Amino acid sequence: MTSVADLKPRSLILDLFGEYLRFTSTGTRLSHLTTLLETFEVAPATVRVTISRLRREGWFVNERSGRETRYQLTDGMRRLLEEGRQRIFAPPPTTWPGEWTMVTYQLTEAERHERDQLKKDLAWHGFGPLSTSTWLAPGDRRPIARELLQNVGAERAEILRCLSDGLDHDRSLAARCWDLTSLALEYADFNARHEPLIRRASGLKGSQALVARTLLISHYRHFPFRDPQLPPPLKPDGWPGDDAYQIFRTAHRALGPAARDFVSEVVGEQVTDAEAAFEQVPASRP
């Protein structure tokens, strides 16, 4: 199980900005970021090196404020983090329209890099491989597929909205496209490890709450990008992913006030967070 020592400075900085610091009014001072990272046992020199590297990669813009440097996310990276947070917080689907989105493509061996990137992008957006070059996703995800295939010629790719032979066939397709057994085991492990956090959350204050909440996100955030978010009729019996979502949201919400107060105290202004922002503008899942 991941501990504070396992968290990478790069991921921590992006998590803190994605969750809290992007909501500050005038950017975040380097000294404030350093103080927050000290709670995760990250040395100030490492913070400076990491934030400078992220700035060169286009994640941040910075400006001088007296003797201090302030950092803000670029607009593009702010949108990227927002999209990620929306995926993490969005609830599992509750309905099944009975249709699939199918993507087929033909890319040559000389286009291996483009082919591998397309596979990663399809998987990221909830598609699973039925065969090497045929991918499925539940529901109508044609707009996403068109965006992903915009650089593949129309004569070499097809996007189809299709039906199967019925519910049994649908469940069989889901089992072929995704390793649901392994994913269920990982969900069950998450549930066993984190359900006690719900009971402990009220006793965690200040930096303890921030660390616990950040670890919780770190442990959970990979699931929404690996789970195809199947509708209820297609999920295996006793699917633990739904419980994992409830445990995550309940613990995350319970730790919120103390974690926000600690960040607010460090940066010198009251900040909101991604939880509150999501509650204000609920996300819809395709």
Side-chain angles (χ1 to χ4, degrees), residues 10-23 54 58-60 72-89 124 217 221 225 274 277-278:
R10 177 190 178 93
S11 295
L12 279 170
I13 290 173
L14 295 178
D15 279 346
L16 289 173
F17 271 90
E19 188 74 5
Y20 311 97
L21 299 179
R22 64 187 169 104
F23 299 106
L54 287 167
W59 282 90
F60 294 99
Q72 294 191 69
L73 288 163
T74 61
D75 290 342
M77 296 310 173
R78 185 185 296 271
R79 287 192 296 271
L80 185 64
L81 289 178
E82 174 61 22
E83 178 186 344
R85 262 20 190 203
Q86 291 286 345
R87 288 278 296 277
I88 290 171
F89 288 120
W124 182 266
I217 295 171
R221 67 182 174 193
F225 301 97
F278 177 81

Side-chain angles (χ1 to χ4, degrees), residues 23-134:
F23 299 106
T24 58
S25 58
T26 58
T28 301
R29 293 184 180 185
L30 179 59
S31 61
H32 294 160
L33 184 61
T34 299
T35 299
L36 290 172
L37 268 292
E38 284 177 347
T39 66
F40 298 91
E41 303 174 7
V42 179
T46 302
V47 178
R48 290 193 295 271
V49 169
T50 306
I51 193 71
S52 294
R53 184 177 296 123
L54 287 167
R55 181 186 60 79
R56 291 194 298 271
E57 293 175 6
W59 282 90
F60 294 99
V61 293
N62 66 303
E63 63 178 15
R64 296 292 296 182
S65 177
R67 300 176 63 182
E68 284 271 20
T69 302
R70 291 181 180 270
Y71 289 87
Q72 294 191 69
L73 288 163
T74 61
D75 290 342
M77 296 310 173
R78 185 185 296 271
R79 287 192 296 271
L80 185 64
L81 289 178
E82 174 61 22
E83 178 186 344
R85 262 20 190 203
Q86 291 286 345
R87 288 278 296 277
I88 290 171
F89 288 120
T94 58
T95 59
W96 169 230
E99 63 184 27
W100 297 86
T101 301
M102 177 183 289
V103 168
T104 65
Y105 57 84
Q106 299 177 32
L107 293 174
T108 67
E109 187 62 24
E111 299 169 298
R112 180 185 298 178
H113 175 75
E114 292 82 358
R115 185 180 61 199
D116 290 346
Q117 185 60 51
L118 178 58
K119 289 179 179 179
K120 291 179 182 178
D121 291 341
L122 285 167
W124 182 266
H125 288 281
F127 286 81
L130 184 62
S131 66
T132 303
S133 57
T134 301

Side-chain angles (χ1 to χ4, degrees), residues 47-278:
V47 178
R48 290 193 295 271
V49 169
T50 306
I51 193 71
S52 294
R53 184 177 296 123
L54 287 167
R55 181 186 60 79
R56 291 194 298 271
E57 293 175 6
W59 282 90
F60 294 99
V61 293
N62 66 303
E63 63 178 15
R64 296 292 296 182
S65 177
R67 300 176 63 182
E68 284 271 20
T69 302
R70 291 181 180 270
Y71 289 87
Q72 294 191 69
L73 288 163
T74 61
D75 290 342
M77 296 310 173
R78 185 185 296 271
R79 287 192 296 271
L80 185 64
L81 289 178
E82 174 61 22
E83 178 186 344
R85 262 20 190 203
Q86 291 286 345
R87 288 278 296 277
I88 290 171
F89 288 120
T94 58
T95 59
W96 169 230
E99 63 184 27
W100 297 86
T101 301
M102 177 183 289
V103 168
T104 65
Y105 57 84
Q106 299 177 32
L107 293 174
T108 67
E109 187 62 24
E111 299 169 298
R112 180 185 298 178
H113 175 75
E114 292 82 358
R115 185 180 61 199
D116 290 346
Q117 185 60 51
L118 178 58
K119 289 179 179 179
K120 291 179 182 178
D121 291 341
L122 285 167
W124 182 266
H125 288 281
F127 286 81
L130 184 62
S131 66
T132 303
S133 57
T134 301
W135 291 64
L136 287 179
D140 185 1
R141 304 194 192 187
R142 288 177 296 169
I144 294 173
R146 292 190 192 102
E147 182 178 343
L148 298 179
L149 291 166
Q150 60 184 339
N151 295 324
V152 179
E155 72 282 357
R156 297 193 297 161
E158 294 290 347
I159 301 171
L160 304 173
R161 186 179 176 187
C162 55
L163 304 175
S164 76
D165 284 336
L167 184 58
D168 288 343
H169 191 193
D170 288 329
R171 291 173 67 93
S172 174
L173 289 172
R176 291 167 58 188
C177 288
W178 295 278
D179 186 356
L180 299 176
T181 300
S182 294
L183 187 59
L185 290 174
E186 293 181 38
Y187 268 134
D189 181 68
F190 175 90
N191 296 347
R193 292 177 180 272
H194 291 87
E195 188 171 22
L197 181 60
I198 296 174
R199 297 187 292 273
R200 296 193 296 109
S202 61
L204 298 177
K205 306 298 181 184
S207 62
Q208 289 183 326
L210 177 64
V211 169
R213 204 174 193 228
T214 303
L215 281 169
L216 176 70
I217 295 171
S218 178
H219 298 159
Y220 182 81
R221 67 182 174 193
H222 305 288
F223 287 122
F225 301 97
R226 296 178 52 221
D227 188 332
Q229 297 297 336
L230 298 171
L234 305 191
K235 292 176 181 176
D237 295 338
W239 182 245
D242 297 334
D243 289 339
Y245 175 78
Q246 293 301 328
I247 290 170
F248 166 70
R249 288 301 302 273
T250 302
H252 186 269
R253 188 177 293 114
L255 291 164
R260 287 192 298 268
D261 287 348
F262 178 72
V263 174
S264 299
E265 180 181 350
V266 170
V267 303
E269 67 172 281
Q270 191 65 40
V271 297
T272 185
D273 65 1
E275 172 87 26
F278 177 81

Side-chain angles (χ1 to χ4, degrees), residues 3 6 194:
S3 66
D6 297 318
H194 291 87

